[in-house]
Amino acid sequence: MKIILEDLLEELKKNNIRLSHQRLKVLEFLVLNQCHPTADQIYNGLHKEVPTLSKTTVYNTLNSLTEANLVRVINIEDNETRYDINTFNHGHFKCQQCKEIYDFGIDIDSIYTDDLNGFKTTDKNVYFKGVCPKCSNA
Amino acid sequence: MKIILEDLLEELKKNNIRLSHQRLKVLEFLVLNQCHPTADQIYNGLHKEVPTLSKTTVYNTLNSLTEANLVRVINIEDNETRYDINTFNHGHFKCQQCKEIYDFGIDIDSIYTDDLNGFKTTDKNVYFKGVCPKCSNA
DNA sequence: TTTCTAACTTGTAATGATTACAAACTAATA
DNA sequence: TATTAGTTTGTAATCATTACAAGTTAGAAA
Ligand SMILES: [Mn+2]
Ligand SMILES: [Mn+2]
Ligand SMILES: [Zn+2]
Ligand SMILES: [Zn+2]
């Protein structure tokens, strides 16, 4: 499923979020770098191109976009929050060695449990950890 | 599945972790308070009984126990790490309103994906968010 | 039981990610 | 073009967690 910047802008307008220069750049960065970057990586990645950008703005933007369901927050590790422009149904695998986060297809809605009758579920996350093939073979 | 303190002590010995007074108290607290407490809640909960306990020790202990797979770390929210003495196969649901974390039964190993062929998976987590029945009906 | 020592605990200071805040700036509307 | 609510920015504050070094202890060995 390909993510198109124009569609995202449409969504921003729907959510009454102004299309500021900084926000567009953060969004663009997320579309071009679908490696689940941290706020700090986004800030550093944009710094040359947008030297006036402040880290606070990166955080503010990410929080707005999350609020509007345009980005998904990934909390696999306790010491780093990562962000994903891909909000479709998928799971995340973090390699403990190279630290990379891989996407994997999974139909989270097919997970069945009857312990959650009466619960309103708005958010579902599946996080795996281990060692990726690259690191296993090294 | 009931968790028995004696079994845990056996595990500690196997892992060459000394049975210090502080560690036993932290373990006991986790067995008695299976509400997925934070390090701070553990520290405060034990403070009357063990006034000399330091917060550093609580963190050190939790890290040791995690290393030995005696406790499970829960990172649903980016700003709070919670700890679970129950390491059996189950999922977690966090109510956004009352902040409580509920356990739910789920066979995580039955989740199928062929995107992870060649990956060594050591850790699987399923986190849901939403509103619990208590808060829905209030 | 006594001795010994690596492992553990403790308090304090450091770290680092995220947020609060207030002044300056700007997107979007009329 | 003027207006203004929303946005950005830099700095300071917050808060969870870790680093460190000095004192203490669990557990093994004598
Ligand atoms: Mn992803
Ligand atoms: Mn649990
Ligand atoms: Zn790897
Ligand atoms: Zn609730």
Side-chain angles (χ1 to χ4, degrees), chain A:
Chain A
M1 202 92 69
K2 203 175 163 198
I3 287 135
I4 295 151
L5 198 54
E6 278 68 38
D7 297 343
L8 296 173
L9 301 190
E10 221 26 69
E11 279 300 311
L12 284 182
K13 284 181 191 158
K14 270 192 210 160
N15 284 277
N16 285 315
I17 299 177
R18 285 193 187 167
L19 282 65
S20 72
H21 184 232
Q22 292 84 341
R23 283 217 260 255
L24 298 183
K25 281 298 172 186
V26 169
L27 255 187
E28 185 188 55
F29 186 89
L30 286 170
V31 173
L32 295 176
N33 299 84
Q34 298 192 27
C35 53
H36 315 96
T38 62
D40 198 63
Q41 288 169 338
I42 297 168
Y43 172 74
N44 285 308
L46 289 174
H47 199 252
K48 301 139 209 161
E49 209 183 339
V50 191
T52 65
L53 183 67
S54 101
K55 201 173 273 188
T56 301
T57 297
V58 174
Y59 279 107
N60 286 342
T61 298
L62 291 170
N63 289 339
S64 301
L65 297 176
T66 303
E67 191 78 21
N69 291 311
L70 285 183
V71 308
R72 177 207 279 223
V73 175
I74 300 174
N75 285 313
I76 301 187
E77 225 67 58
D78 49 348
N79 55 347
E80 61 168 24
T81 302
R82 287 166 168 256
Y83 297 89
D84 195 347
I85 193 70
N86 182 355
T87 56
F88 297 115
N89 207 341
H90 67 286
H92 289 110
F93 179 99
K94 175 160 185 181
C95 174
Q96 310 274 45
Q97 261 168 52
C98 65
K99 312 298 182 196
E100 188 166 341
I101 292 182
Y102 295 84
D103 288 328
F104 61 87
I106 187 173
D107 183 13
I108 299 175
D109 292 321
S110 75
I111 298 172
Y112 179 72
T113 179
D114 40 32
D115 291 349
L116 293 181
N117 291 331
F119 288 70
K120 275 184 217 144
T121 305
T122 54
D123 210 3
K124 297 180 177 185
N125 283 292
V126 176
Y127 297 142
F128 287 4
K129 291 185 192 175
V131 182
C132 77
K134 269 190 229 163
C135 292
S136 291
N137 301 330

Side-chain angles (χ1 to χ4, degrees), chain B residues 2-91:
Chain B
K2 202 173 165 200
I3 287 137
I4 296 150
L5 197 54
E6 277 70 36
D7 297 342
L8 296 173
L9 301 190
E10 220 29 67
E11 279 300 310
L12 285 182
K13 283 180 191 160
K14 270 191 210 161
N15 284 277
N16 286 314
I17 298 176
R18 286 192 184 168
L19 281 66
S20 72
H21 183 231
Q22 292 85 342
R23 283 217 260 257
L24 298 183
K25 281 299 171 187
V26 169
L27 256 187
E28 185 188 57
F29 186 90
L30 286 170
V31 173
L32 296 177
N33 299 83
Q34 297 192 27
C35 52
H36 315 96
T38 63
D40 199 64
Q41 288 169 337
I42 297 168
Y43 173 74
N44 285 309
L46 289 173
H47 199 251
K48 299 140 208 159
E49 208 182 342
V50 192
T52 67
L53 183 67
S54 101
K55 202 173 271 190
T56 299
T57 296
V58 174
Y59 279 107
N60 287 342
T61 298
L62 291 169
N63 289 340
S64 300
L65 297 176
T66 303
E67 190 78 21
N69 292 310
L70 285 182
V71 309
R72 177 205 279 223
V73 174
I74 300 174
N75 285 313
I76 300 187
E77 224 68 57
D78 50 346
N79 57 346
E80 63 169 20
T81 302
R82 287 166 168 254
Y83 298 89
D84 194 347
I85 193 69
N86 182 355
T87 57
F88 297 114
N89 208 341
H90 68 286

